[in-house]
C-alpha cells in the first residue's frame, strides 16, 4: 500500500512516527510522512518519503503568541490560547495534505491532525485511522491528558473529554469546511459528518503509541480504540554519540541529562543557572541539551549538547530530567534509568504523574516556579535511592518485550484489504 502518515507539532510529535513509518516500510509498504519542513532530515533517516507542511512550529512558539501561551498558568487557559493560534495556521496545511491523500491508499493521522485527516479521507473514500501519542477519547477513569492531572470524578472526567474533543474540532472547523467544499466538491453542510462525534459513531480505529504498562486501556473505551505499545524514533544502525559526548561520559561518574525538548522559556539564562545550581547541589555532573529553550552550561562538570539520540545517551545517565513530553517520557522509560519530570504544559502533567505512579520518579518538579533546592532534592532521591533504579530497570525490561508497530501493521492491512 501507499501509506501517508500525517502529523503536526513539535519534534516530539514527529520523532516517534519515524520508527513507525520505518517499521511499516520494512513490511513492504510505501510510506510518506507529511509534516513540517524543519523535520525533513529527521524523517529522511528512516528511509521513507517526505512531504513538507508550511508551518514552522518553533517560529510560532518563539512568537508573541507562543510567549503568551507559555505565560498562561492553567491547562484550560493554555488550551484557549492554543485554539486561537492553531486556527490561524491550519488552513495553510490543507493543500499538501490533500495532494498527498490523492496518491495514497491509506491515511494514518496523528491526534493533532485528526479532524482534517478524517475529513480528507472520508471525502475521498480513502481509508484512514488514528495513530495517537496521547489518550484523548473520553473516559471515566481520568481527566483529558492535555488539561492536567486533577480528576473531576467519573462523570466529570468523561464530560471533560467530550469538551476537549469539541475544542479540537473548533480548531479545524473552518479548514474542514474548506476541504469539504473547495477541495472535495461536497456541500459545506457535509462538514458536520467529520467531527469527533461522527468519528465515534463510525468507530474510527485509533492505535495509541504508548505501552499498556504505562496507561492501561480504559475499560469504558469503545471498540476500535487500541493501545498498541510505543513507537520508538528511528536511529540508523551506525548511529553513534559524538566524540565529545563519549569523552565526557568516560571522564567521570554517570551524569544527569537535563533537557526541555521543544519547550520554549522566556529567560534561558536564568533557568540554565538554576538547573546547574541544582545539579551541583546534588553533587552530580550534567549533560544539558540546548533544545528550543536555549539551555546552556559551563564548567568541567557540565556538557552542553544539541540533538543526540536519546536511545544511545539515556542508558548512560544516572537519571534524566525532562519536560515530560510523551516521547521523552517514553525514552526515559526505555533506557531503564530514573526520571525527574519537569512538566511544562498540556499532557506533560499527565505523563509526569504516570512516572511517579510507576515508581521510576520521586516527584514532579513543575517548570513554573522551579527552584534549585527543590530540584536538587528530587535528584538526590532519584539517584541515591536504589528503589527508583530497580523499578526503572524492571519497567524497561518489560517494555523491551513489546512491539508497538505490529498492531498498527495488522490494522493497516485490514483496512487496506
Amino acid at each position: 500500500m501507499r501509506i501517508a502518515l500525517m502529523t503536526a507539532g513539535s519534534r516530539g510529535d514527529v520523532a516517534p512516527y519515524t520508527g513507525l513509518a520505518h517499521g511499516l516500510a520494512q513490511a513492504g509498504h510505501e510510506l510518506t510522512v507529511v509534516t513540517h519542513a524543519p523535520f525533513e532530515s529527521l524523517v529522511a533517516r528512516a528511509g521513507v518519503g517526505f512531504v513538507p507542511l508550511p508551518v514552522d512550529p518553533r517560529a510560532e512558539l518563539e512568537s508573541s503568541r507562543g510567549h503568551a501561551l507559555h505565560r498562561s498558568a492553567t491547562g484550560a487557559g493554555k488550551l484557549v490560547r492554543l485554539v486561537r493560534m492553531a486556527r490561524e495556521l491550519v488552513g495553510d496545511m490543507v493543500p499538501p495534505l490533500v495532494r498527498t491523500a490523492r496518491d495514497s491508499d491509506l491515511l494514518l493521522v496523528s491526534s493533532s491532525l485528526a479532524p482534517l485527516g478524517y475529513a480528507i479521507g472520508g471525502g475521498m473514500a480513502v481509508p484512514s485511522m488514528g495513530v495517537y501519542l496521547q489518550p484523548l477519547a473520553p473516559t471515566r477513569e481520568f481527566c483529558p491528558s492535555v488539561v492536567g492531572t486533577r480528576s473531576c470524578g467519573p462523570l466529570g472526567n468523561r464530560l471533560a473529554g467530550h469538551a476537549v474533543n469539541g475544542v479540537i474540532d473548533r480548531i479545524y472547523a473552518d479548514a474542514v469546511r474548506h476541504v469539504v467544499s473547495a477541495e472535495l466538491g461536497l456541500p459545506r453542510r457535509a462538514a458536520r459528518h467529520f467531527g469527533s462525534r461522527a468519528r465515534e459513531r463510525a468507530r474510527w480505529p485509533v492505535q495509541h503509541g504508548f505501552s499498556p504498562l504505562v496507561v492501561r486501556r480504559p475499560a469504558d473505551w469503545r471498540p476500535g480504540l487500541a493501545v498498541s505499545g510505543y513507537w520508538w524514533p528511528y536511529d540508523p544502525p551506525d548511529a553513534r554519540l559524538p566524540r565529545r559526548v563519549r569523552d565526557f561520559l568516560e571522564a567521570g561518574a554517570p551524569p544527569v541529562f537535563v533537557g526541555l525538548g521543544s519547550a520554549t522559556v522566556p529567560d534561558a539564562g536564568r533557568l540554565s543557572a538554576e538547573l546547574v545550581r541544582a545539579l551541583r547541589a546534588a553533587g552530580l555532573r550534567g549533560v544539558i541539551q540546548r533544545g528550543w529553550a536555549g539551555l546552556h552550561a559551563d564548567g568541567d562538570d557540565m556538557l552542553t549538547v544539541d540533538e543526540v539520540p536519546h536511545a544511545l545517551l539515556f542508558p548512560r545517565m544516572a537519571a534524566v530530567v525532562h519536560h515530560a513530553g510523551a516521547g521523552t517520557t517514553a525514552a526515559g522509560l526505555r533506557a531503564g534509568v530514573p526520571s525527574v519530570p519537569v512538566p511544562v504544559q498540556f499532557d506533560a502533567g499527565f505523563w509526569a504523574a504516570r512516572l511517579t505512579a510507576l515508581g521510576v520518579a520521586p516527584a514532579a518538579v513543575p517548570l513554573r516556579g522551579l527552584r534549585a533546592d527543590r530540584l536538587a532534592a528530587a535528584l538526590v532521591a532519584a539517584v541515591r535511592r536504589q528503589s527508583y533504579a530497580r523499578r526503572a530497570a524492571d519497567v524497561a525490561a518489560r517494555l523491551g518485550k513489546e512491539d508497538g508497530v505490529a498492531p498498527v501493521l495488522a490494522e493497516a492491512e485490514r483496512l487496506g484489504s
Side-chain angles (χ1 to χ4, degrees), residues 73-157:
T74 66
K78 288 181 181 295
L79 199 57
V80 169
R81 290 185 183 275
L82 180 64
V83 168
R84 293 172 183 166
M85 179 189 298
R87 290 191 72 174
E88 298 178 18
L89 302 174
V90 294
D92 294 336
M93 295 191 282
V94 168
L97 292 172
V98 170
R99 286 196 303 269
T100 307
R102 292 191 192 281
D103 295 326
S104 301
D105 303 310
L106 176 67
L107 310 182
L108 305 184
V109 192
S110 74
S111 60
S112 57
L113 289 176
L116 205 48
Y118 182 72
I120 292 170
M124 292 183 178
V126 177
S128 66
M129 64 184 283
V131 283
Y132 289 8
L133 300 178
Q134 303 88 2
L136 289 177
T139 175
R140 295 178 177 86
E141 295 186 15
F142 47 79
C143 211
S145 59
V146 295
V147 297
T149 59
R150 185 176 66 85
S151 175
C152 302
L155 179 58
N157 288 342

Side-chain angles (χ1 to χ4, degrees), residues 179-241:
V179 165
V180 164
S181 60
E183 300 286 349
L184 305 178
L186 301 173
R188 286 177 66 86
R189 63 179 180 275
R192 67 178 183 272
H193 297 305
F194 300 114
S196 60
R197 292 189 180 275
R199 296 196 298 275
E200 290 300 295
R201 288 193 298 271
R203 294 191 171 183
W204 190 52
V206 178
Q207 293 283 339
H208 294 82
F210 48 79
S211 170
L213 176 64
V214 180
V215 182
R216 184 185 59 191
R217 184 186 185 278
D220 59 346
W221 269 7
R222 63 163 173 83
L225 301 176
V227 176
S228 64
Y230 282 116
W231 308 315
W232 305 114
Y234 178 76
D235 292 316
D238 60 351
R240 297 290 185 273
L241 292 173

